Amino acid sequence: MPDWKKLIEGKIALAKRGATPGKANANNRVPAGQTEVKNFPVLDMGIKPSIDKSEWSLRVYGLVGEELNLDWAAFQALPQITNVSDFHCVTRWSQLDMDWQGVRARDILALAMPLETAKFVTLHSYDGYTTNIALEALLDDDVIIAHSVLGQPLTREHGGPVRMIVPKRYAWKSAKWLQSIELHAEDRPGFWEVRGYHNYADPFLEQRFSDDE
Ligand SMILES: Nc1nc2c(c(=O)[nH]1)N[C@H]1C(S)=C(S)[C@@H](COP(=O)(O)O)O[C@H]1N2
Ligand SMILES: [Mo]
């Protein structure tokens, strides 16, 4: 059992610690308060579920016209893309040029035919983690349900078999070990969002905590 209290307090302390001025790179791709890294750190709550592809499925449910249950073969058969984006963790590291490969989230959502009333989403993960986001945000071109990065299938520690990638938000919105996508009419704060993290989480606006603008 991880020491939840310690993990949560430790992560919040990292996110709150003073910014490191002057570290933003020349093209301004590293947001304020972030430092560029190249070693792709691992960050999670310490439970790293092991899910075999033969047992893996992705469910889309809630306010949908047709509930969806994709197994691995069905997921692989969908149009595959590569999207290069930057990854910003609220604990103040950013890694640039991540070449995520997988299926556009909007292609998978379209298969489930979201109802008019569906406005918000909860991403549920195999480790029990949740995070919330507006449905519209998942329809962007760069949002990908990824199975590979840096030329390799996603390792278990980075969320394999499949994780969400939402480049325009801090990385806690990019749920690892993605299990299901639940659509609702109202917004339902997820694991970190109920613990004071910002609901929207734009790294370029430094929306770290709910009391930031
Ligand atoms: N399921 C799940 N997804 C998660 C987390 C988690 O604890 N569980 N942590 C989030 C946080 S805070 C970050 S910074 C990124 C880190 O991804 P990485 O470990 O691949 O670098 O995953 C996000 N997705
Ligand atoms: Mo994070």
Coordinates of all heavy atoms in Angstrom, one line a residue, residues 49-59 69-73 126 160-162 177-179:
P49 N -0.6 -0.9 -12.5 CA -1.3 -2.1 -12.9 C -0.7 -2.7 -14.1 O -0.2 -2.1 -15.0 CB -2.7 -1.6 -13.2 CG -2.6 -0.2 -13.4 CD -1.4 0.3 -12.7
S50 N -0.7 -4.0 -14.1 CA -0.2 -4.8 -15.2 C -1.3 -5.4 -16.0 O -2.1 -6.2 -15.5 CB 0.7 -5.9 -14.6 OG 1.0 -6.9 -15.6
I51 N -1.6 -4.9 -17.2 CA -2.7 -5.3 -17.9 C -2.3 -6.0 -19.2 O -1.6 -5.3 -20.1 CB -3.7 -4.2 -18.3 CG1 -4.1 -3.4 -17.0 CG2 -5.0 -4.7 -19.0 CD1 -3.5 -2.1 -16.9
D52 N -2.5 -7.2 -19.4 CA -2.2 -7.9 -20.6 C -3.1 -7.5 -21.7 O -4.3 -7.2 -21.5 CB -2.3 -9.4 -20.4 CG -1.6 -10.2 -21.5 OD1 -0.4 -10.4 -21.3 OD2 -2.3 -10.5 -22.5
K53 N -2.5 -7.3 -22.9 CA -3.4 -6.9 -24.1 C -4.5 -7.8 -24.3 O -5.6 -7.4 -24.8 CB -2.5 -6.8 -25.3 CG -1.5 -5.6 -25.3 CD -0.7 -5.5 -26.5 CE 0.2 -4.3 -26.5 NZ 1.6 -4.7 -26.4
S54 N -4.4 -9.1 -24.0 CA -5.5 -10.0 -24.2 C -6.7 -9.7 -23.2 O -7.8 -10.2 -23.5 CB -5.0 -11.5 -24.0 OG -4.6 -11.6 -22.7
E55 N -6.4 -9.1 -22.1 CA -7.5 -8.8 -21.2 C -7.9 -7.3 -21.3 O -8.9 -6.9 -20.6 CB -7.0 -9.0 -19.8 CG -7.0 -10.5 -19.4 CD -6.0 -10.8 -18.3 OE1 -5.8 -10.0 -17.4 OE2 -5.5 -11.9 -18.4
W56 N -7.1 -6.5 -22.0 CA -7.4 -5.1 -22.1 C -8.6 -4.8 -22.9 O -8.9 -5.4 -23.9 CB -6.2 -4.4 -22.8 CG -6.3 -2.9 -23.0 CD1 -6.0 -1.9 -22.1 CD2 -6.9 -2.2 -24.1 NE1 -6.3 -0.7 -22.6 CE2 -6.8 -0.9 -23.9 CE3 -7.4 -2.7 -25.3 CZ2 -7.3 0.1 -24.8 CZ3 -7.9 -1.7 -26.2 CH2 -7.8 -0.4 -25.9
S57 N -9.4 -3.8 -22.4 CA -10.5 -3.2 -23.2 C -10.7 -1.8 -22.8 O -10.3 -1.4 -21.7 CB -11.8 -4.0 -23.1 OG -12.4 -3.8 -21.9
L58 N -11.2 -1.0 -23.7 CA -11.5 0.4 -23.5 C -13.0 0.6 -23.7 O -13.6 0.3 -24.7 CB -10.7 1.3 -24.5 CG -11.0 2.8 -24.4 CD1 -10.6 3.3 -23.0 CD2 -10.2 3.5 -25.5
R59 N -13.6 1.1 -22.6 CA -15.1 1.3 -22.7 C -15.4 2.8 -22.8 O -14.8 3.6 -22.1 CB -15.6 0.7 -21.4 CG -17.1 0.8 -21.2 CD -17.5 0.1 -19.9 NE -18.9 0.3 -19.6 CZ -19.5 0.5 -18.5 NH1 -18.7 0.6 -17.4 NH2 -20.8 0.7 -18.3
N69 N -17.2 -0.9 -26.4 CA -16.2 -1.7 -25.7 C -15.2 -2.2 -26.8 O -15.5 -3.1 -27.6 CB -16.8 -2.9 -25.1 CG -17.3 -2.6 -23.7 OD1 -16.5 -2.4 -22.8 ND2 -18.6 -2.5 -23.5
L70 N -14.0 -1.6 -26.8 CA -13.0 -1.9 -27.8 C -12.0 -2.9 -27.2 O -11.4 -2.7 -26.1 CB -12.2 -0.7 -28.2 CG -12.8 0.4 -29.1 CD1 -11.8 1.5 -29.3 CD2 -13.2 -0.2 -30.4
D71 N -11.8 -4.0 -27.9 CA -10.7 -4.9 -27.4 C -9.4 -4.5 -28.2 O -9.4 -3.6 -29.0 CB -11.0 -6.4 -27.6 CG -11.2 -6.8 -29.0 OD1 -10.9 -6.0 -29.9 OD2 -11.7 -8.0 -29.3
W72 N -8.3 -5.2 -27.9 CA -7.0 -4.8 -28.5 C -7.1 -4.8 -30.0 O -6.6 -3.9 -30.7 CB -5.9 -5.6 -28.0 CG -4.6 -5.1 -28.4 CD1 -3.7 -5.6 -29.3 CD2 -4.0 -3.9 -27.8 NE1 -2.6 -4.8 -29.4 CE2 -2.7 -3.7 -28.5 CE3 -4.3 -2.9 -26.9 CZ2 -1.9 -2.7 -28.3 CZ3 -3.5 -1.9 -26.6 CH2 -2.3 -1.8 -27.3
A73 N -7.6 -5.8 -30.6 CA -7.6 -6.0 -32.1 C -8.5 -4.8 -32.7 O -8.1 -4.2 -33.7 CB -8.2 -7.3 -32.5
Y126 N -7.0 2.0 -14.8 CA -6.9 0.7 -14.2 C -6.3 0.8 -12.8 O -6.4 -0.2 -12.0 CB -6.1 -0.3 -15.0 CG -6.9 -0.9 -16.2 CD1 -6.8 -0.3 -17.5 CD2 -7.7 -2.0 -16.1 CE1 -7.5 -0.8 -18.6 CE2 -8.4 -2.6 -17.1 CZ -8.3 -2.0 -18.4 OH -9.0 -2.5 -19.4
G160 N 1.2 1.9 -20.2 CA 0.8 0.9 -21.2 C -0.2 -0.1 -20.6 O -0.2 -0.3 -19.4
P161 N -1.0 -0.8 -21.4 CA -1.0 -0.7 -22.9 C -1.3 0.6 -23.6 O -0.8 1.0 -24.6 CB -2.0 -1.8 -23.3 CG -2.3 -2.6 -22.1 CD -2.0 -1.8 -20.9
V162 N -2.2 1.4 -22.9 CA -2.7 2.6 -23.6 C -3.0 3.7 -22.6 O -3.5 3.5 -21.5 CB -4.0 2.2 -24.4 CG1 -4.9 3.4 -24.5 CG2 -3.7 1.6 -25.7
W177 N -2.8 4.0 -18.2 CA -3.6 2.8 -18.0 C -5.1 3.0 -18.2 O -5.9 2.6 -17.4 CB -3.4 2.2 -16.6 CG -1.9 2.0 -16.3 CD1 -1.0 1.2 -16.9 CD2 -1.2 2.8 -15.3 NE1 0.2 1.3 -16.3 CE2 0.1 2.3 -15.3 CE3 -1.5 3.8 -14.4 CZ2 1.1 2.8 -14.5 CZ3 -0.5 4.3 -13.6 CH2 0.8 3.8 -13.6
L178 N -5.4 3.7 -19.3 CA -6.8 4.2 -19.6 C -7.7 3.0 -19.7 O -7.4 2.0 -20.4 CB -6.8 5.0 -20.9 CG -8.2 5.6 -21.2 CD1 -8.6 6.6 -20.2 CD2 -8.1 6.3 -22.6
Q179 N -8.8 3.0 -18.9 CA -9.7 1.9 -18.9 C -11.1 2.3 -19.5 O -11.7 1.5 -20.2 CB -9.9 1.5 -17.4 CG -10.9 0.3 -17.2 CD -10.9 -0.2 -15.8 OE1 -10.6 0.5 -14.9 NE2 -11.1 -1.5 -15.6

